[in-house]
Amino acid sequence: MARFENVREENCIILKFDLKWYAEKSSDIDPQEAQQTLEIAEAALRKAEGKRQTIEANLTLRRARTRVEAINAIS
């Protein structure tokens, strides 16, 4: 199973997924794109069928929420 973590420090998000690290500054995140991605992720979770799709949708949703939270933290 994939592992997902997020750490927020000094307006930076660090995401870990399947041994790959992704980092981006909060100020580099487009608020409209992040909100749209969150809405798409929520819809994908509602439509998920089966365990695998549900897990993947939950991971996507967590990443999308973390990005939106990062934007809100600097606003």
Side-chain angles (χ1 to χ4, degrees):
M1 183 187 300
R3 182 177 169 132
F4 181 95
E5 298 174 8
N6 70 64
V7 177
R8 281 175 238 139
E9 186 174 318
E10 297 186 24
N11 297 327
C12 183
I13 307 171
I14 301 172
L15 304 170
K16 181 181 179 187
F17 181 73
D18 281 342
L19 303 178
K20 296 179 185 174
W21 288 89
Y22 304 91
E24 60 187 317
K25 289 183 178 181
S26 301
S27 59
D28 292 342
I29 300 172
D30 178 345
Q32 290 178 324
E33 184 270 331
Q35 185 61 42
Q36 184 179 19
T37 301
L38 177 60
E39 292 167 6
I40 291 168
E42 290 169 339
L45 180 58
R46 287 191 299 271
K47 294 178 184 178
E49 295 180 5
K51 188 174 182 175
R52 181 183 174 111
Q53 282 186 0
T54 301
I55 291 169
E56 289 175 353
N58 270 311
L59 291 171
T60 301
L61 181 59
R62 288 180 63 189
R63 181 174 190 270
R65 280 188 182 144
T66 300
R67 294 178 83 230
V68 170
E69 288 172 6
I71 293 168
N72 292 336
I74 63 169
S75 302

